[in-house]
Amino acid sequence: MQENSSPAQAYAAFRARQAEGSTVLHRFRDDLPYPLDDFQIRACRALEEGRSVLVAAPTGAGKTTVAQFGVELAVARDVRVFYTTPIKALSNQKYQELVDAHGADRVGLLTGDASINRDAQIVVMTTEVLRNMIYSGTGLDDLGYVVLDEVHYLGDRFRGPVWEEVIIHLPAHVLLVSLSATVSNAEEFGAWLAEVRGHTDVIVSEHRPVPLYNHVAVGTDILPLFTPTGHDVNRDLQAAVRRYRGSGSRRDKRRHSAPRFTRPARSATIRSLARSGLLPAIYFIFSRNACDDAVEHCLASGLDLTDEASKRVIREELDDLHDELPDADLSILGFHNFAAGLLGGFGAHHAGLIPQFKELVERLYAAGHIKVVFATETLALGINMPARSVVLEKLSKFNGETHVQITPGEYTQLTGRAGRRGIDVEGHAVTIWHPSIDPSDIAALASKRTYALKSQFTPTYNMAANLLARLTTDDARKVLETSFAQYQADTSVVGLAKKARRADAALEKYHAAMQCDHGDFAEYFGLRRTIAAMEKSAGKSRARLKQRELLEAMSKLRFGDVVLLPSRRSFGACTVIAPLRTEEGGDTRLPSVLTSTGKVWHLRPHEVTEPPVHLGHIKPGKKFNHRVVAERRRVVETVAAGIESGAINDPADVGHAVKVRADTVGREQIEAVRAQLRAHPCHACPDRETHARWAERAVKLEREQQSVMAQITGRTESIAHVFDRVCNVLTTLKFLPDDSHILRRIYGERDLLTALSVRAGLWDELDEPECAALASMLVYQARRETIGAPRLPSAKLSRCFDELRSTWRMLSQMETDARLPVTPEPEAGIARAMYNWANGKDLAHSIGRSEVAAGDFVRWARQTLDLLGQVEQVAIGRTAAVIRRAAESLRRGVVLD
């Protein structure tokens, strides 16, 4: 109590403490082993007072505590709570945590291929499962709270739209606990949530409880990235890097060459981390194969990071896992290397591993028994793997099409794993230096701690079918217009509209300034612009004609022709050693020539501005090899002898080449417009050029204005326009209104193609393994492009695949015409493997010689199971029974969760 407080104030404070003592929050705080931070208290109070919350805070700041309180509130108020996560691995982890806290009878798990206690009060699930439940209208009774963990995943290109569907369609009384990494537009996202869901408190904390320090490993030396003030790049680091880059001119570098840089072995880096007290560590490598290679390398180097006590625990876990797996599968799973790595204190974690391997790595790492995990970026998605330090081997990754630099947001997400609250006083991020990396690039990534959340929402066929099953078209459009994508588009339109209004005001002034007493200056300036456009067009025509004539002249050159290149007269008499050719992909390569000094020159377009002059011809010989000096010398001597004898024209006697003829197309039309210009009254105005400058400004501004208006038109109701195009495709294919019941139960990127396959009866004549194989074709997507179709295990399945591809070609053409994203083509890359597995074969026999990793096979098998479950709901009679048995045949061994 404050010394100067009045009795009334003291009494009020007492009543407030008494009231808080009876709240759920008070009991929750008493049970925690640590005090709550201010942002956690504000979020929990908002929830207790009946408001949704958006909590944006750094990784490791304690956002999960708010979610735990949401669960406590649900239990206290006897309502259901759903805890959603973006990935199944995180769902499994949260399920176990909640079981430990509330008991197995109170907690359920739904992940598409796993269903445990689905009617429990607390259910953990992936966001896709919740979306499906909303559309089917099941399981939402008594639902009071939904936790949206990692809600910033809403910005993911492929899966982000599911978050928006959930937020838009959940019943209005359900409170949301949205947990996000720090995003720079949290207020914008929160404002949208408030508009869609009602009262929502936006709580942003940028404080990181465990401070993060950035380092760079140059060789095996680990140096701070920044100076002690934290703003400038460390000079010692710059000096260490400079050693390998040299300095001064090229001549200096040749004289004093910099020592050659060799990237340190991963085991050497890990030993450096151990010496510096920076273990345990997560070592991010953006390649599955490289993660496995790292384990192999560390085994070969004899790296050992575990004591006998940890080895004993690891052996017990490995024995249990060994007993779970069939002996025939141990080899193809790489069990022995996996086990040896764990006993040495290190392991890999990526999507190519079977779930049982990944879960064991997670358990052992969390318990402190292994010290290093080589991981791909998927590990950064909230799985609780406590690390003192994070290592980034590269700052670029393959995005499926090309190698790209990681973004500041990705850097933040990856390095956010470093620093264990309550264990470490600080976390550390270590980037492995390479000459291709500049320390300033690392500093730029590390300095930008936030990134903007951008919606990826777009209407899908399944979404349209489900909306129109319960809403009119107009009402469905209104629902879609409440999306975050449309909110962001509309917000940007506000700024564009302001820009357009400013442009309107400026245009009025410009038009006033270009007024001319002699006549209509806008008309006069229009003639000037017409002439400029016609001359530009004529110039392009002349350039095209010149280019065509040059290519035609070049295409006539043959092996052994001797020519003079007017634009390269210093080359002298050149011999053609490779004629013009068109390469695969359509690119044209100009001829290669041997100059009079014996130098091979591959001609480039900018070097050939005039047609070559033909001087003569020699026979270099069929076996001429331009890489052999003696061969080149012989050709040069043959040409010189030919010039001496007169058989070849002397290039010194050849005058300048004849220029490409001028194009006169349109010249008469241009002169006619010039005559109109000279005859116009404004041509005689003494202020003509002043008026013209204002007119030029007006034209430029009008172009900008048109661009702004086009953007406004494109963004206003953009989501609704896409929805209309989606509906048009569905109407054309008679899914609206006739067969929407099929499409409503089928989800995924190939939803409409799958529905078409069901309606066409492709599943009706197949047996169980063939159904499993067909389902795999509708979920599988190869990690890299493959050439040719794989051989399928049955003629019936081959015919089915041919018909499926034919259906896809028809659909993709419709989508192209409708300006919609094209449905991914069906792929049969794992059809044989899925067929074999459904036929009871072991893992080694099923995967066979295919390149698919065991973990990938398990993941695709589970997605195949998910799709079979969807198709079973819309199939009838015998077909539904066969599909059900197909799913049962897949659900065994490593595919079991």
Side-chain angles (χ1 to χ4, degrees):
M1 186 177 71
Q2 295 179 1
E3 291 183 13
N4 298 325
S5 62
S6 67
Q9 289 173 321
Y11 180 70
F14 164 74
R15 290 298 300 270
R17 288 194 300 273
Q18 190 179 47
E20 185 169 314
S22 63
T23 64
V24 179
L25 177 57
H26 181 79
R27 295 196 299 274
F28 179 70
R29 291 174 72 173
D30 281 350
D31 291 340
L32 289 175
Y34 52 86
L36 291 180
D37 291 340
D38 177 63
F39 85 93
Q40 294 168 323
I41 294 171
R42 286 189 290 129
C44 292
R45 279 184 177 152
L47 280 173
E48 194 164 38
E49 291 166 9
R51 299 188 301 278
S52 294
V53 293
L54 167 63
V55 181
T59 301
K63 297 186 293 291
T64 306
T65 301
V66 181
Q68 292 168 348
F69 179 68
V71 173
E72 290 286 344
L73 270 179
V75 172
R77 295 174 178 178
D78 198 26
V79 294
R80 299 187 81 194
V81 56
F82 291 167
Y83 197 120
T84 73
T85 69
I87 55 175
K88 292 175 185 176
L90 190 52
S91 292
N92 293 334
Q93 192 174 84
K94 291 299 177 187
Y95 168 72
Q96 197 56 55
E97 290 174 5
L98 288 167
V99 165
D100 293 342
H102 298 278
D105 59 328
R106 236 181 187 154
V107 185
L109 175 68
L110 293 174
T111 60
D113 51 40
S115 177
I116 302 172
N117 199 13
R118 64 181 305 127
D119 296 322
Q121 184 177 16
I122 307 163
V123 185
V124 182
M125 62 185 67
T126 54
T127 319
E128 281 86 353
V129 170
L130 178 54
R131 185 269 315 269
N132 300 351
M133 289 173 68
I134 291 170
Y135 281 152
S136 65
T138 58
L140 302 181
D141 295 341
D142 303 323
L143 181 62
Y145 299 87
V146 167
V147 177
L148 295 176
D149 203 353
E150 308 277 348
V151 74
H152 55 270
Y153 214 78
L154 180 144
D156 181 75
R157 176 182 166 194
F158 297 107
R159 296 175 57 210
V162 176
W163 270 255
E164 287 191 52
E165 290 182 70
V166 166
I167 291 167
I168 292 169
H169 297 302
L170 269 173
H173 69 274
V174 176
L175 294 184
L176 294 187
V177 184
S178 303
L179 308 180
S180 170
T182 311
V183 291
S184 54
N185 60 337
E187 287 75 14
E188 178 192 37
F189 183 46
W192 172 70
L193 284 171
E195 190 170 293
V196 176
R197 303 295 314 170
H199 294 298
T200 301
D201 284 15
V202 180
I203 297 162
V204 178
S205 173
E206 296 192 8
H207 172 67
R208 188 185 157 95
V210 181
L212 178 70
Y213 294 95
N214 293 275
H215 310 271
V216 179
V218 183
T220 54
D221 296 329
I222 299 174
L223 302 167
L225 172 60
F226 295 109
T227 58
T229 61
H231 300 297
D232 301 316
V233 175
N234 177 18
R235 289 183 179 179
D236 291 340
L237 171 61
Q238 291 174 324
V241 166
R242 201 178 298 120
R243 287 183 57 238
Y244 296 102
R245 287 189 168 164
S247 59
S249 66
R250 289 186 180 181
R251 185 177 299 170
D252 291 337
K253 288 180 181 178
R254 284 196 298 269
R255 210 165 36 228
H256 308 290
S257 60
R260 181 172 179 175
F261 177 81
T262 303
R263 189 188 291 271
R266 288 161 179 147
S267 58
T269 300
I270 291 167
R271 288 187 172 101
S272 292
L273 293 170
R275 284 194 299 271
S276 302
L278 297 182
L279 296 182
I282 298 174
Y283 201 119
F284 282 112
I285 307 174
F286 301 121
S287 161
R288 301 177 184 184
N289 290 338
C291 288
D292 294 335
D293 291 344
V295 171
E296 295 271 0
H297 162 76
C298 290
L299 282 173
S301 73
L303 184 67
D304 190 351
L305 304 170
T306 52
D307 56 25
E308 279 306 315
S310 288
K311 279 183 168 63
R312 190 162 49 251
V313 173
I314 294 168
R315 283 194 190 97
E316 291 172 0
E317 290 273 13
L318 287 169
D319 288 343
D320 291 342
L321 179 58
H322 184 282
D323 293 341
E324 288 178 26
L325 300 172
D327 290 341
D329 292 345
L330 295 178
S331 177
I332 196 167
L333 291 173
F335 178 82
H336 301 294
N337 273 2
F338 172 75
L342 294 186
L343 287 167
F346 47 88
H349 189 289
H350 57 74
L353 296 174
I354 61 170
Q356 292 91 329
F357 280 16
K358 289 189 288 185
E359 288 162 14
L360 178 55
V361 169
E362 290 163 16
R363 285 201 306 276
L364 292 174
Y365 189 83
H369 296 302
I370 61 175
K371 304 300 182 184
V372 177
V373 173
F374 299 103
T376 55
E377 62 184 316
T378 53
L379 189 59
L381 270 177
I383 296 174
N384 183 25
M385 299 268 289
R388 178 167 294 161
S389 64
V390 161
V391 180
L392 300 184
E393 186 166 87
K394 292 182 179 179
L395 295 181
S396 64
K397 64 173 185 174
F398 187 69
N399 66 359
E401 297 174 0
T402 185
H403 283 87
V404 295
Q405 185 89 349
I406 64 171
T407 65
E410 288 167 331
Y411 182 91
T412 300
Q413 185 81 0
L414 293 166
T415 58
R417 299 283 102 200
R420 299 164 296 176
R421 190 171 187 179
I423 302 174
D424 299 316
V425 295
E426 58 194 30
H428 301 269
V430 181
T431 301
I432 306 297
W433 183 79
H434 184 269
S436 62
I437 299 174
D438 193 286
S440 62
D441 294 336
I442 309 173
L445 289 171
S447 301
K448 297 176 182 175
R449 304 306 302 164
T450 61
Y451 61 102
L453 186 60
K454 188 174 186 303
S455 172
Q456 300 292 335
F457 183 82
T458 187
T460 64
Y461 298 116
N462 168 271
M463 189 192 304
N466 275 295
L467 284 174
L468 294 175
R470 52 195 178 91
L471 300 171
T472 65
T473 302
D474 286 343
D475 287 342
R477 291 172 100 255
K478 289 174 184 174
V479 166
L480 293 172
E481 285 170 357
T482 64
S483 68
F484 187 42
Q486 191 61 57
Y487 183 86
Q488 288 188 311
D490 291 344
T491 302
S492 67
V493 164
V494 172
L496 289 170
K498 289 180 181 177
K499 188 175 180 180
R501 286 194 295 273
R502 288 196 300 268
D504 284 338
L507 274 173
E508 284 184 22
K509 295 177 182 177
Y510 292 170
H511 286 139
M514 61 185 270
Q515 291 299 313
C516 179
D517 295 337
H518 288 68
D520 186 348
F521 197 84
E523 181 182 70
Y524 173 77
F525 192 72
L527 291 171
R528 286 176 64 153
R529 292 185 65 210
T530 300
I531 292 169
M534 293 173 75
E535 287 181 333
K536 184 177 180 180
S537 177
K540 287 182 178 178
S541 297
R542 285 194 296 273
R544 282 196 298 270
L545 180 62
K546 183 175 182 179
Q547 185 69 21
R548 192 163 58 244
E549 291 190 357
L550 282 171
L551 280 175
E552 187 178 345
M554 287 287 177
S555 68
K556 292 177 181 177
L557 297 181
R558 296 292 176 259
F559 179 54
D561 281 350
V562 181
V563 298
L564 172 70
L565 300 171
S567 52
R568 283 286 186 269
R569 295 181 74 88
S570 61
F571 286 179
C574 300
T575 308
V576 178
I577 58 174
L580 181 143
R581 57 205 178 277
T582 302
E583 297 185 327
E584 189 176 342
D587 292 337
T588 299
R589 291 289 300 270
L590 295 181
S592 298
V593 299
L594 185 68
T595 69
S596 60
T597 60
K599 185 176 183 179
V600 174
W601 200 265
H602 304 289
L603 294 177
R604 288 168 290 186
H606 70 273
E607 296 173 331
V608 186
T609 56
E610 298 175 38
V613 179
H614 193 272
L615 302 176
H617 186 86
I618 66 166
K619 292 183 179 179
K622 291 183 179 179
K623 295 184 179 180
F624 169 75
N625 185 348
H626 71 269
R627 293 184 177 85
V628 179
V629 175
E631 294 270 319
R632 296 202 302 268
R633 188 182 301 119
R634 180 177 58 78
V635 169
V636 170
E637 290 171 353
T638 301
V639 171
I643 293 172
E644 184 72 28
S645 66
I648 297 174
N649 292 330
D650 190 338
D653 297 335
V654 178
H656 288 285
V658 178
K659 300 287 184 184
V660 175
R661 64 184 173 83
D663 183 22
T664 57
V665 177
R667 185 65 59 191
E668 292 180 2
Q669 291 94 323
I670 293 173
E671 287 304 321
V673 180
R674 283 192 193 282
Q676 292 180 48
L677 183 78
R678 287 191 290 268
H680 196 282
C682 290
H683 192 65
C685 178
D687 298 323
R688 181 182 68 198
E689 293 311 311
T690 301
H691 296 324
R693 282 194 293 273
W694 286 110
E696 190 65 56
R697 292 176 188 173
V699 167
K700 183 179 179 182
L701 193 56
E702 282 169 355
R703 281 199 298 265
E704 292 175 2
Q705 181 81 318
Q706 288 170 359
S707 173
V708 169
M709 297 309 295
Q711 289 180 62
I712 291 174
T713 302
R715 295 182 189 185
T716 304
E717 296 186 349
S718 55
I719 301 298
H721 288 158
V722 175
F723 176 70
D724 290 341
R725 294 199 291 272
V726 165
C727 290
N728 288 339
V729 169
L730 294 180
T731 301
T732 302
L733 293 172
K734 296 188 171 19
F735 276 98
L736 290 179
D738 304 349
D739 294 323
S740 69
H741 66 283
I742 299 175
L743 190 53
R744 290 204 304 273
R745 296 297 185 91
I746 296 173
Y747 309 90
E749 283 193 87
R750 298 185 178 105
D751 50 4
L752 183 50
L753 181 62
T754 304
L756 285 164
S757 74
V758 171
R759 193 172 67 178
L762 295 191
W763 303 76
D764 295 347
E765 300 302 319
L766 303 181
D767 61 20
E768 288 81 355
E770 288 168 338
C771 280
L774 177 59
S776 78
M777 298 173 188
L778 289 161
V779 297
Y780 178 67
Q781 291 188 21
R783 296 183 67 228
R784 57 181 64 87
E785 190 174 345
T786 55
I787 300 172
R791 190 167 57 88
L792 293 173
S794 75
K796 204 186 303 180
L797 198 55
S798 293
R799 288 194 299 272
C800 205
F801 184 50
D802 289 342
E803 192 169 339
L804 188 64
R805 283 198 296 185
S806 177
T807 302
W808 172 80
R809 283 191 288 271
M810 175 274 295
L811 175 59
S812 64
Q813 186 58 58
M814 287 184 68
E815 290 170 328
T816 301
D817 293 342
R819 292 178 292 119
L820 290 171
V822 173
T823 295
E825 186 174 1
E827 297 187 47
I830 59 165
R832 177 175 286 276
M834 207 63 64
Y835 179 93
N836 288 337
W837 184 258
N839 240 338
K841 306 295 185 188
D842 61 32
L843 187 63
H845 188 284
S846 297
I847 296 177
R849 297 177 183 174
S850 69
E851 294 185 5
V852 65
D856 284 330
F857 174 76
V858 172
R859 181 164 54 91
W860 291 120
R862 290 179 174 179
Q863 290 192 32
T864 299
L865 270 168
D866 193 28
L867 184 70
L868 286 170
Q870 295 171 27
V871 175
E872 182 197 340
Q873 293 181 67
V874 294
I876 56 174
R878 172 197 172 276
T879 303
V882 171
I883 290 171
R884 189 181 312 113
R885 290 195 297 271
E888 290 166 1
S889 67
L890 292 179
R891 201 176 282 111
R892 63 184 180 86
V894 291
V895 175
L896 279 175
D897 201 349

